[in-house]
Structure formats: structure tokens, C-alpha cells
Amino acid sequence: MNINKMQIDRILNNNVVITLGENKQETVVMGKGIGFQKKKGESINPDLIEKVFSLNTPYSDHFKFLLEQVPASCISAAEEIIELAKNRLKTKLHASVIISLADHLNYALQRFAENISIPNTLQWEIKKLYSSEFAIGKASIQIINRHTGVLLPDDEAGYIALHLVNAQLNDNMQNTMKITRFIQDILSLVQYHFTLEYNEDALSYQRFITHLKFFAQRIFDRNGLC
């Protein structure tokens, strides 16, 4: 789509509008003040465009609702985190992660503003079991700070890591937390039975974690424990 010929189809707020392409394909266009005092059918100022999202996904309606409720800074931060995760993890993330992660960041920022702290009780397990995702979570703290001006506590690194794990499993967050506890229990059982120490940097250890992760998901799904 030629950004110099974009016309507004719907205004979600002052910073987010929706355009229609030649095949009636909806596209979200974000930018500070891009919808301010504008009307349907008017052209978009290309100099104000910061982000462009295609809505050609099964989650389009959820994404549009999210855009109406969540600040653009949260969407932009979530998008950058997801791109970082894709580059580092070299794996596919479910398309809905942009919705769940941006929504989480919005509530995390609201809690921070209200001085409400929710300690991450799985922080230790997440750091041990999902070291790559946790490292991305740590980097995400600075990404969020750059987009919003807020420095969230380290507990958020673990929460973000779980969202990335969840996006790989294509599961719900509650189930992902159950799987995390399950993996830790199995690791402890194996360690106790064979009286061994894990080399957490070894490829074999990481493969074992990956196997347990999907094994646990199959068990919970099969037995209706989710």
C-alpha cells in the first residue's frame, strides 16, 4: 500500500486509524496525532505514520479492540519485544502474542502507576527453565522504558518470558504456568533419583527442557487438566 495515498476509513483514537486497501483489506496506521480532527475519507499525513499493521489475521477484531483500549506506546513496545524474540529464539510465535503481550504491558504499567506490586512466584523456575526467554524479558524492561518512560521491576522479565513461552506452545497463560511447575517437578525428581547435577548450559539440558515442555502440554491437554 502506498502510504502517500492512504485514506481514513475509521478513527479509533487520535493516534490510531484504520484504512482500507484495494481489496478491502484493513490496515491499522499508528502515529502521534494521526487521527486528530480528521474524518472518514480524508488522507493521512505520511509524515505522521509511525507503525503500520495488517489486520489479515483471525484475531483482527481482538486487535482492533486492543488498539481502542491500549496506548500506542504499549503496542510499539510489544512489537519490538516480539521482533527481538523472533530473532533470538529462531522460532515461530503465535500471531495472538501481540494482543496478549500488549494487554499485559498496559496492565503492568497501570499497576506500577498505582504502586501495586505482584511478585512473580515462578521467577526462579522461569529463569532456570526458559533462560533464553528470560534474557529477552530482561532486555524488554529497557525496551518498555524507552517507549513509555517507565522502568518496570525485574519481576516483569519473568512474566514477559512466560508470554513468549506461551506463544511458542500456542496455549493459555494458566496452562503455561502449570507446565512450568510440572517441568520443575520432573527435573527435581530426575536429579534426586540419579543424584546428578545439571549442566544448564549444555545442549542436552536444553533439549530435555524442550521435550518436557511439549510432553507436559500433551499430558495436560489429554487429561483435561488445563
Side-chain angles (χ1 to χ4, degrees):
M1 179 180 289
N2 188 341
I3 64 173
N4 293 308
K5 296 182 179 180
M6 284 183 169
Q7 291 185 328
I8 296 173
D9 180 67
R10 185 148 58 98
I11 299 172
L12 297 184
N13 55 53
N14 287 339
N15 303 314
V16 185
V17 301
I18 291 179
T19 70
L20 284 180
E22 295 179 357
N23 298 319
K24 302 297 182 180
Q25 173 61 50
E26 290 185 315
T27 301
V28 173
V29 183
M30 299 173 60
K32 188 174 182 179
I34 202 166
F36 181 65
Q37 293 185 338
K38 289 286 187 176
K39 296 179 181 178
K40 180 177 179 178
E42 291 186 349
S43 298
I44 294 174
N45 182 350
D47 294 334
L48 297 179
I49 296 175
E50 297 176 6
K51 299 287 182 182
V52 178
F53 296 94
S54 172
L55 285 179
N56 187 25
T57 73
Y59 303 93
S60 298
D61 290 339
H62 295 288
F63 191 39
K64 283 187 284 186
F65 177 78
L66 181 79
L67 289 167
E68 294 174 342
Q69 306 295 323
V70 174
S73 57
C74 288
I75 305 289
S76 298
E79 184 195 24
E80 185 173 343
I81 292 168
I82 291 167
E83 285 304 309
L84 176 65
K86 288 179 178 178
N87 290 332
R88 287 196 185 180
L89 299 175
K90 305 298 183 184
T91 189
K92 185 177 180 180
L93 301 178
H94 198 268
S96 63
V97 67
I98 182 67
I99 298 171
S100 61
L101 184 56
D103 192 44
H104 171 79
L105 296 184
N106 184 41
Y107 281 113
L109 290 166
Q110 289 179 17
R111 291 196 303 269
F112 184 85
E114 297 171 7
N115 199 28
I116 298 174
S117 176
I118 302 180
N120 191 339
T121 58
L122 287 175
Q123 188 84 335
W124 186 87
E125 287 85 353
I126 295 167
K127 185 176 181 179
K128 291 290 184 181
L129 303 181
Y130 313 126
S131 57
S132 297
E133 288 85 355
F134 186 79
I136 295 168
K138 292 282 286 184
S140 298
I141 300 298
Q142 296 303 322
I143 292 174
I144 297 164
N145 179 244
R146 190 168 66 252
H147 283 276
T148 68
V150 176
L151 190 63
L152 292 173
D154 284 345
D155 278 341
E156 282 302 320
Y159 288 128
I160 292 169
L162 278 182
H163 275 281
L164 298 177
V165 173
N166 189 50
Q168 294 172 70
L169 293 172
N170 187 19
D171 217 322
N172 61 71
M173 183 56 68
Q174 183 180 11
N175 202 31
T176 299
M177 294 175 72
K178 289 179 180 178
I179 289 171
T180 301
R181 293 189 179 96
F182 178 89
I183 294 172
Q184 183 57 54
D185 289 344
I186 294 296
L187 286 173
S188 298
L189 181 63
V190 171
Q191 186 176 37
Y192 175 78
H193 181 78
F194 292 102
T195 60
L196 54 80
E197 291 296 328
Y198 293 116
N199 178 2
E200 296 175 1
D201 295 324
L203 180 60
S204 57
Y205 176 80
Q206 297 301 325
R207 285 176 173 170
F208 187 37
I209 295 296
T210 300
H211 171 76
L212 288 177
K213 183 166 57 179
F214 289 100
F215 173 63
Q217 185 184 37
R218 291 195 300 271
I219 287 179
F220 282 112
D221 286 345
R222 182 179 301 167
N223 291 283
L225 299 175
C226 309

